[in-house]
Amino acid sequence: MSIKVDNNRLEVLLNEYNNHANELAYFLSPTEISYKNNEEIINNVSNLNVLVGLELSTYLNIIIISNGYFYDSELNKIINFEKPNSIKIENLENGKYGIYYIFSNESFIYSLNEPEEKYRKIGEFEYKDSNIIKIYPKQDLATSYENRFIIAEQLGTTGYRIYSDGWKEQWGVSANPTFPVAFDEIPLIVTNGATNITLTNMTIADGYWYACGY
């Protein structure tokens, strides 16, 4: 497997690859890659959290679902989308919304809660102050990282850098730091030895520290 990216800031957790040289990579989550061999892919395709070719993007407050397909185990059938679909988002409360494909009427919806009828979750987005601020799965991996840009930063001994997709890098020199900017989710990457990690602080001995995540 190879990933070609011209940006040196590709923060993706790659599980140990040396023992998986003949296997296929797939995403466990937006930031973690794992592996299965070809036979597992064929025999257990319904267990993979994979939306093949389906990617989400936004224009203003419209979510665009690209063409692609996924496998449904109950129907033993590939559900194929030959053209992009769109959902207009308006007048929502702040929160994280799931995007679902509804089988009964072959349509897409968004909701804070799981639908009661048969559905397949396609992705999710976060809505805040009348704007979509995060969405997943988002474009292809390389494009997503290449297109991000810094929207705020504070440089110095203690500081932070915030990117357009919500990713935050924070650092400092102190024991048990309070992060300069609160995270939206528990940081994905922290200094070795850190414990009691929350959205706003962590426990660690005096010295250089860093924390990265959304």
Side-chain angles (χ1 to χ4, degrees):
M1 180 194 75
S2 65
I3 300 176
K4 182 180 184 300
V5 183
D6 294 327
N7 188 320
N8 61 5
R9 292 196 57 264
L10 183 58
E11 284 98 4
V12 176
L13 177 60
L14 289 166
N15 289 342
E16 180 60 43
Y17 178 65
N18 292 338
N19 298 324
H20 303 276
N22 296 317
E23 296 181 339
L24 301 174
Y26 71 99
F27 278 92
L28 281 171
S29 72
T31 54
E32 186 172 3
I33 290 175
S34 192
Y35 309 92
K36 285 186 180 292
N37 61 42
N38 196 52
E39 184 176 343
E40 289 178 296
I41 296 287
I42 293 171
N43 293 335
N44 298 290
V45 65
S46 61
N47 295 325
L48 293 179
N49 186 24
V50 173
L51 302 171
V52 183
L54 284 177
E55 301 162 355
L56 304 179
S57 58
T58 60
Y59 175 73
L60 300 177
N61 270 354
I62 297 173
I63 293 176
I64 301 168
I65 305 163
S66 72
N67 55 310
Y69 58 91
F70 65 81
Y71 175 80
D72 180 69
S73 58
E74 290 184 24
L75 299 175
N76 189 27
K77 178 182 177 182
I78 297 287
I79 309 298
N80 186 52
F81 307 100
E82 296 182 353
K83 63 180 181 180
N85 291 263
S86 63
I87 308 176
K88 187 173 183 180
I89 308 298
E90 53 188 356
N91 301 324
L92 295 185
E93 297 179 3
N94 290 350
K96 291 184 179 179
Y97 291 79
I99 301 172
Y100 303 95
Y101 173 76
I102 303 299
F103 283 83
S104 62
N105 57 14
E106 300 180 346
S107 66
F108 294 96
I109 67 167
Y110 59 87
S111 176
L112 281 170
N113 304 307
E114 294 184 2
E116 295 182 0
E117 55 189 308
K118 180 176 170 57
Y119 69 88
R120 173 68 181 257
K121 187 173 183 181
I122 298 300
E124 58 190 38
F125 68 92
E126 186 170 348
Y127 192 82
K128 185 176 182 181
D129 299 332
S130 301
N131 290 291
I132 298 169
I133 60 171
K134 282 193 293 187
I135 191 167
Y136 172 78
K138 182 181 179 183
Q139 300 182 335
D140 65 271
L141 189 62
T143 301
S144 177
Y145 278 86
E146 283 297 298
N147 288 347
R148 63 167 45 174
F149 53 90
I150 296 171
I151 61 173
E153 65 181 353
Q154 173 185 296
L155 303 179
T157 304
T158 299
Y160 61 83
R161 186 175 288 113
I162 303 174
Y163 290 79
S164 57
D165 64 349
W167 181 263
K168 300 176 182 69
E169 300 171 339
Q170 307 198 55
W171 61 87
V173 181
S174 63
N176 307 326
T178 297
F179 303 134
V181 178
F183 287 94
D184 297 325
E185 303 170 8
I186 299 297
L188 294 165
I189 304 170
V190 296
T191 310
N192 288 339
T195 59
N196 304 319
I197 304 163
T198 72
L199 301 178
T200 57
N201 54 63
M202 63 184 179
T203 300
I204 195 166
D206 188 20
Y208 176 74
W209 62 266
Y210 60 85
C212 304
Y214 289 104

